[in-house]
Amino acid sequence: MKNITIKDVAKHAGVSIGTVSKVLNEKGYVGKETRKRVSEAIKTLNYQVNANARSLKAIRTKKVGMIVSYISNYYLMSIAKTIEDTLRSMGCHMLVMSHNENEQTERELLQLILEQRVEALVLIPTGANKDLVQLVIDQNIPVILVDKKVEGITTDLIVDDNYYGSYESISYLQSLGHNRIGVIYGLLKNSVGKERLEGALDAIEKLNCSSDKNLIMPGDFNEIKAYESATELLLLPNPPTAIYCCNNTMTVGLLKAINDRGLSIPDDISVITFGDVAQWELVKPPLTLMTQPLKRIGVEAAILLKNRLTMEEDYSPIQLVIKPELQIRSSCAKPAFKHS
Amino acid sequence: MKNITIKDVAKHAGVSIGTVSKVLNEKGYVGKETRKRVSEAIKTLNYQVNANARSLKAIRTKKVGMIVSYISNYYLMSIAKTIEDTLRSMGCHMLVMSHNENEQTERELLQLILEQRVEALVLIPTGANKDLVQLVIDQNIPVILVDKKVEGITTDLIVDDNYYGSYESISYLQSLGHNRIGVIYGLLKNSVGKERLEGALDAIEKLNCSSDKNLIMPGDFNEIKAYESATELLLLPNPPTAIYCCNNTMTVGLLKAINDRGLSIPDDISVITFGDVAQWELVKPPLTLMTQPLKRIGVEAAILLKNRLTMEEDYSPIQLVIKPELQIRSSCAKPAFKHS
DNA sequence: TGTAAATAGTGAAACGTTTTATCAAAGTGG
DNA sequence: CCACTTTGATAAAACGTTTCACTATTTACA
């Protein structure tokens, strides 16, 4: 079951392979009659160009790589979708891979990217593997970092303003009168995790909230750990009157913990989270949160990508820091009076 | 900024390109000393094999295509993740694309798949484009259909038992005493949508529920339409005591409609849905639903894929129909007495 | 009518690999 | 010491395209 090649088409149509190529790529001069004969040969033989051979000769591979942390993550895939649509409109396509926040895996994927001769790379990095990322850049492959930066690398970057989002979240709670605010934070080796915690901590300090260290608990960006930390928080002799949770996944754990202790939001405790998901509007009560402007990030990334793909000249890296927005719903209220 | 080729490495190490190739692929005889020199040359030159050139000569492209309907869909991407992991362990990688249920887009993607000479294709089809799907199969590329079938195509298939899931959902409601059951169904040109509706309809008939046609409303698999239909259902002079909603997206609309009318679940109305998502456990009350065994589907698809990739011989297509499971939580209760 | 430009088609080189046939040296066993 | 086999390395062919240099015909227009 040999594959049909351009040679077969040429023979079938009685022309040279150069002519077939011209028909295929709509380049150069081909007679009307000949074009038709060739087209028909292609049809009847079910010929398909071999993209590998094509990108071997032609420099353009029409491939763009996208490496994300989690492929089943709604936030990331929303961005991916926007990018994919843009690419398709440019006749390119996308290689998607996920490293699951594993640095070794990311190494292998970057290696693959290099081998595949993609024309650009959209990377949600682990934060490590600076050497390989730099290597990709050195090969003149445009790299767009999304969501997270890699220390020591200067290239295009699109991130949420995590610090700002956290600061504002705490600030909002404080404005409602809370001054014992619990925080469940994510992995700190992750720049997102770090920035969100720092924003929260700075806000707590500057706004004169209680800076009880016991109220700041790790959630490791996972549901289980968040559940445990939340439970601990709730069992404190003098528990917080509000909890700020640094991402969606951990919020699932937090809410379960609150449920399991029979507490009610916002009467017993206020809750605010960083990150949006359709269902947070349906939880009772609907969650107040900091939304990441998903669409915006996706669109910006896509635009940037398009520019990088069409621009030949050198360019200077663009850094986009996108501010999240406070979405006020019903999970935060004034703190109840407590006789401590 | 020319790319480094195998030729450069050969020159740098003072050997022939054949030898470099042998080192690269760990094939044939290479002297210990030579191997070292070559390896060093590769390191210092930062050489990266050109995967395109490689797959031109070697038949294996190490690429598997995956075409899904929506790339930001949690259900599909969970499956994709499992498959991707398996592939990586086999040294292959995945081309992910989405057709957004657009048949023309699917055509283009299938074309791309053909051109890319992938070794296998995992396809969540629109249901159309039978000709192109068949063409892929004819090229001896194993095709695994997931989630949905394509009429007239026989190949590997892994689907939920949608009919069963719907039937059981209605059956559960009926067992609680409901006999005016509303249904919000999805797109019917979609086999999933069709099967789910049929299961529900058959159950309603066989179990002697009221077969009031007004209770069966389209939701088109989207939130807005579902919201409208749900609202209509709730405004009926004699509204249903329970509603079965055929997928997650539509359930968002349904719940919003119920909220907006100030109704309470399950006191005023019972709700059951087809499809799981972490947040459905956190909604008040936690939703009773039919879960699709995501992990199972992903794993089965991955295993099947692995087999197809390693098996040379012809094989007969496997059809896997996986039963969803009823997950009882608190959104369904006995119907309240109504003086109609 | 003559000449340049436009049109139509060809053959061969090039892209960066892998593979195959070949050669040469070095071990091996009788 | 001879006839193998094993080991080590090479040059050239092949993979399926695109592109470039060329030839040959037709068209345009001054």
Side-chain angles (χ1 to χ4, degrees):
Chain A
M1 181 74 71
K2 206 66 200 58
N3 263 326
I4 310 284
T5 78
I6 204 173
K7 213 187 273 180
D8 303 313
V9 177
K11 198 180 301 170
H12 192 276
V15 296
S16 73
I17 64 171
T19 304
V20 177
S21 177
K22 280 200 273 187
V23 172
L24 248 26
N25 300 289
E26 293 170 340
K27 256 183 186 171
Y29 299 114
V30 180
K32 208 168 171 218
E33 179 53 40
T34 317
R35 184 188 306 282
K36 199 160 145 195
R37 272 216 320 288
V38 172
S39 299
E40 269 164 13
I42 290 177
K43 262 272 156 49
T44 60
L45 294 181
N46 268 329
Y47 166 75
Q48 313 290 340
V49 285
N50 182 327
N52 298 113
R54 171 178 282 176
S55 41
L56 177 57
K57 181 64 190 178
I59 302 301
R60 305 220 32 204
T61 58
K62 304 264 189 181
K63 281 184 286 196
V64 169
M66 175 151 190
I67 301 184
V68 303
S69 44
Y70 300 106
I71 206 178
S72 50
N73 183 101
Y74 176 75
Y75 166 68
L76 299 175
M77 285 302 111
S78 299
I79 296 173
K81 177 172 160 34
T82 311
I83 293 178
E84 198 212 1
D85 289 345
T86 305
L87 286 178
R88 185 152 48 244
S89 78
M90 303 174 65
C92 294
H93 50 277
M94 193 166 68
L95 242 48
V96 184
M97 320 169 199
S98 65
H99 54 59
N100 303 319
E101 292 294 342
N102 177 319
E103 298 177 2
Q104 182 52 38
T105 306
E106 189 189 32
R107 283 199 82 76
E108 291 164 16
L109 296 182
L110 285 168
Q111 195 63 48
L112 211 63
I113 286 299
L114 249 6
E115 292 178 5
Q116 288 291 323
R117 300 291 193 272
V118 298
E119 294 189 33
L121 170 63
V122 178
L123 174 63
I124 283 109
T126 63
N129 295 321
K130 179 186 154 192
D131 56 336
L132 270 183
V133 174
Q134 186 61 52
L135 189 52
V136 176
I137 296 174
D138 290 344
Q139 309 278 326
N140 269 349
I141 300 175
V143 172
I144 301 181
L145 257 25
V146 176
D147 193 50
K148 214 191 287 180
K149 61 186 80 161
V150 179
E151 226 56 60
I153 298 280
T154 45
T155 184
D156 293 325
L157 178 69
I158 304 182
V159 288
D160 291 324
D161 195 336
N162 291 301
Y163 182 95
Y164 169 89
S166 275
Y167 197 103
E168 291 302 305
S169 298
I170 298 292
S171 171
Y172 172 68
L173 289 175
Q174 195 262 356
S175 76
L176 289 176
H178 294 276
N179 69 346
R180 281 188 65 77
I181 301 176
V183 173
I184 297 181
Y185 62 90
L187 260 10
L188 294 185
K189 54 175 204 165
N190 181 312
S191 70
V192 174
K194 212 166 66 183
E195 290 165 12
R196 290 189 187 172
L197 178 58
E198 281 167 2
L201 256 27
D202 283 3
I204 287 175
E205 179 167 354
K206 292 234 176 69
L207 303 172
N208 289 316
C209 298
S210 152
S211 53
D212 183 343
K213 283 293 168 231
N214 293 323
L215 300 184
I216 313 299
M217 299 283 292
D220 294 0
F221 282 146
N222 83 56
E223 181 186 326
I224 310 292
K225 181 76 177 177
Y227 179 91
E228 293 168 4
S229 286
T231 305
E232 240 180 276
L233 236 32
L234 298 173
L235 288 175
L236 245 33
N238 190 5
T241 57
I243 295 184
Y244 164 58
C245 190
C246 287
N247 88 345
N248 279 324
T249 316
M250 297 193 294
T251 300
V252 175
L254 167 61
L255 295 192
K256 284 187 182 171
I258 293 176
N259 272 353
D260 288 358
R261 305 230 57 76
L263 265 24
S264 120
I265 305 173
D267 298 337
D268 299 318
I269 189 153
S270 288
V271 166
I272 185 169
T273 183
F274 197 126
D276 202 359
V277 129
Q279 282 82 2
W280 287 149
E281 195 180 343
L282 297 169
V283 170
K284 287 279 169 48
L287 246 45
T288 291
L289 46 79
M290 271 290 155
T291 66
Q292 300 153 297
L294 272 195
K295 264 266 140 21
R296 172 101 195 279
I297 293 183
V299 169
E300 294 288 356
I303 291 174
L304 198 50
L305 187 57
K306 194 161 183 171
N307 282 341
R308 292 321 183 211
L309 284 175
T310 50
M311 224 146 55
E312 1 250 289
E313 296 310 309
D314 272 0
Y315 49 81
S316 41
I318 287 185
Q319 318 255 117
L320 240 45
V321 178
I322 298 184
K323 286 209 189 315
E325 284 163 23
L326 182 64
Q327 172 97 38
I328 297 183
R329 295 206 274 241
S330 329
S331 66
C332 298
K334 291 186 193 306
F337 171 72
K338 281 265 170 74
H339 27 250
S340 62
Chain B
M1 181 75 70
K2 207 65 201 60
N3 264 326
I4 309 284
T5 77
I6 205 174
K7 215 188 271 180
D8 303 311
V9 176
K11 199 181 301 173
H12 191 277
V15 297
S16 74
I17 64 171
T19 305
V20 177
S21 178
K22 280 199 273 187
V23 173
L24 249 25
N25 300 291
E26 295 169 338
K27 255 183 186 170
Y29 298 115
V30 181
K32 208 169 171 216
E33 178 54 38
T34 316
R35 182 187 308 280
K36 201 159 144 195
R37 273 216 319 289
V38 172
S39 298
E40 270 163 13
I42 291 177
K43 262 271 155 49
T44 61
L45 294 181
N46 269 331
Y47 166 75
Q48 313 290 341
V49 287
N50 182 326
N52 298 112
R54 173 178 283 177
S55 41
L56 177 56
K57 181 66 191 182
I59 302 303
R60 306 217 34 200
T61 59
K62 304 262 186 183
K63 280 184 288 195
V64 169
M66 174 150 192
I67 300 183
V68 304
S69 44
Y70 299 106
I71 206 178
S72 50
N73 184 101
Y74 175 75
Y75 166 69
L76 299 175
M77 285 302 112
S78 300
I79 296 173
K81 177 172 160 36
T82 311
I83 293 178
E84 197 211 2
D85 289 345
T86 306
L87 286 178
R88 186 153 47 245
S89 78
M90 301 174 67
C92 295
H93 49 278
M94 193 166 69
L95 242 48
V96 184
M97 319 168 198
S98 63
H99 54 59
N100 303 319
E101 292 295 343
N102 176 319
E103 297 177 3
Q104 181 53 38
T105 306
E106 187 188 32
R107 284 198 81 77
E108 291 165 16
L109 295 182
L110 285 169
Q111 195 63 49
L112 211 62
I113 285 298
L114 248 7
E115 293 177 4
Q116 288 292 322
R117 301 290 195 271
V118 298
E119 295 189 31
L121 171 63
V122 178
L123 175 62
I124 284 110
T126 63
N129 295 320
K130 178 185 156 192
D131 55 337
L132 270 183
V133 175
Q134 187 61 53
L135 188 52
V136 176
I137 296 174
D138 290 344
Q139 308 279 327
N140 268 349
I141 300 175
V143 173
I144 301 182
L145 256 25
V146 175
D147 192 50
K148 214 191 286 180
K149 62 186 81 159
V150 180
E151 225 57 58
I153 297 282
T154 44
T155 184
D156 294 324
L157 179 69
I158 304 182
V159 288
D160 292 322
D161 195 336
N162 290 301
Y163 182 94
Y164 169 89
S166 275
Y167 196 103
E168 290 302 305
S169 298
I170 298 291
S171 170
Y172 172 68
L173 289 174
Q174 195 262 356
S175 76
L176 289 176
H178 295 275
N179 70 347
R180 282 187 65 78
I181 301 175
V183 173
I184 297 181
Y185 62 90
L187 259 11
L188 294 184
K189 54 176 203 164
N190 180 312
S191 70
V192 173
K194 212 167 66 183
E195 289 164 12
R196 290 189 188 172
L197 177 58
E198 282 169 1
L201 257 26
D202 283 4
I204 286 174
E205 177 168 355
K206 291 235 177 67
L207 302 172
N208 290 317
C209 296
S210 151
S211 52
D212 183 344
K213 282 293 169 231
N214 293 323
L215 300 184
I216 313 298
M217 299 283 291
D220 293 359
F221 282 148
N222 82 57
E223 182 186 326
I224 311 291
K225 181 77 176 175
Y227 179 91
E228 293 168 4
S229 286
T231 305
E232 240 181 277
L233 235 32
L234 298 174
L235 288 176
L236 245 34
N238 190 6
T241 57
I243 295 183
Y244 164 59
C245 190
C246 286
N247 88 344
N248 279 322
T249 315
M250 297 192 296
T251 300
V252 174
L254 168 60
L255 294 193
K256 284 187 183 173
I258 293 177
N259 272 353
D260 289 357
R261 304 232 56 77
L263 265 25
S264 121
I265 305 173
D267 298 337
D268 298 319
I269 188 152
S270 288
V271 167
I272 185 169
T273 182
F274 199 124
D276 202 358
V277 131
Q279 282 81 2
W280 287 149
E281 194 180 344
L282 296 169
V283 170
K284 287 279 169 48
L287 246 46
T288 290
L289 46 77
M290 272 290 155
T291 67
Q292 301 152 297
L294 274 194
K295 265 266 142 20
R296 172 102 196 279
I297 293 183
V299 170
E300 294 288 358
I303 291 174
L304 198 50
L305 187 56
K306 192 161 184 172
N307 282 342
R308 291 321 183 212
L309 284 175
T310 51
M311 223 148 55
E312 2 249 288
E313 295 310 307
D314 271 359
Y315 48 81
S316 40
I318 287 184
Q319 320 254 119
L320 240 45
V321 179
I322 297 185
K323 287 211 188 315
E325 285 163 23
L326 181 64
Q327 171 97 39
I328 298 183
R329 295 208 274 243
S330 327
S331 65
C332 299
K334 291 187 192 306
F337 172 73
K338 283 262 172 75
H339 28 250
S340 62

